[in-house]
Amino acid sequence: TTGIISAVNREVEADGTTYVCIQTDAAINSGNSGGPLINKKGEVLVSGHRGESCFGLENTMSAIKRALKLGVDMIETDVHMTKDRELILIHDNFLERTTNGTGLVREHTLSEINCLDATVNAKIKILPEPPPTLNSFLKLMQEYPDVKCFQI
């Protein structure tokens, strides 16, 4: 598969294992996009898809901070509403794939969601963290005024 490279990262674990991740824009590859995102100068924009999700950290604060550290032009993320009408960052409407929880997001309160680990698929060593709230994401993004947010 070919596509636009949206992130390249290298991680070396304490045991010497090295991971290299080259992430391409799957939407372009599958034809779901009208093509690469281009700015007014004609430059291709680099997107942090669900943050920097190469290492299984999608839609976590760690993934977003890693993408920002890489210097992305924009962050793509996904939002779902909890039972108590709070907005959290998570791709699926169910919890099983990206957390250690079960069931639909809308069936759980934010307090219950905050007890989950959204780093269960991490391919690197990282501390557990729950899916973040949209408010915490937007607060972080205020520190990066040049980075655009889209598909929220």
Side-chain angles (χ1 to χ4, degrees):
T1 304
T2 61
I4 292 176
I5 295 174
S6 60
V8 177
N9 203 357
R10 180 176 169 265
E11 287 287 330
V12 179
E13 294 290 315
D15 66 1
T17 303
T18 301
Y19 297 96
V20 176
C21 179
I22 299 172
Q23 184 172 338
T24 61
D25 186 336
I28 293 170
N29 295 334
S30 65
N32 293 333
S33 171
L37 294 167
I38 309 288
N39 68 14
K40 290 179 182 178
K41 297 177 187 175
E43 302 164 326
V44 175
L45 299 175
V46 177
S47 171
H49 185 243
R50 301 179 197 161
E52 191 268 352
S53 57
C54 291
F55 296 103
L57 298 172
E58 67 179 69
N59 284 325
T60 62
M61 290 302 278
S62 294
I64 292 161
K65 289 175 183 176
R66 290 170 65 92
L68 293 168
K69 186 177 176 183
L70 287 169
V72 298
D73 299 302
M74 63 185 74
I75 298 286
E76 179 275 344
T77 190
D78 308 276
V79 178
H80 284 275
M81 188 180 292
T82 64
K83 184 177 184 177
D84 51 351
R85 304 186 60 78
E86 296 291 336
L87 298 174
I88 64 164
L89 305 190
I90 189 167
H91 180 264
D92 306 330
N93 63 352
F94 54 90
L95 298 167
E96 288 84 352
R97 187 178 66 83
T98 59
T99 76
N100 58 342
T102 59
L104 297 172
V105 172
R106 68 175 182 254
E107 295 172 342
H108 296 272
T109 64
L110 180 59
S111 179
E112 293 167 333
I113 297 286
N114 281 336
C115 294
L116 301 179
D117 180 9
T119 67
V120 294
N121 295 321
K123 296 175 180 80
I124 58 173
K125 291 183 180 162
I126 191 157
L127 293 174
E129 61 182 91
T133 63
L134 178 61
N135 284 339
S136 62
F137 168 70
L138 293 175
K139 184 177 179 181
L140 172 66
M141 294 309 295
Q142 288 176 353
E143 299 173 29
Y144 299 87
D146 294 334
V147 176
K148 282 70 174 164
C149 307
F150 70 101
Q151 193 179 327
I152 297 180

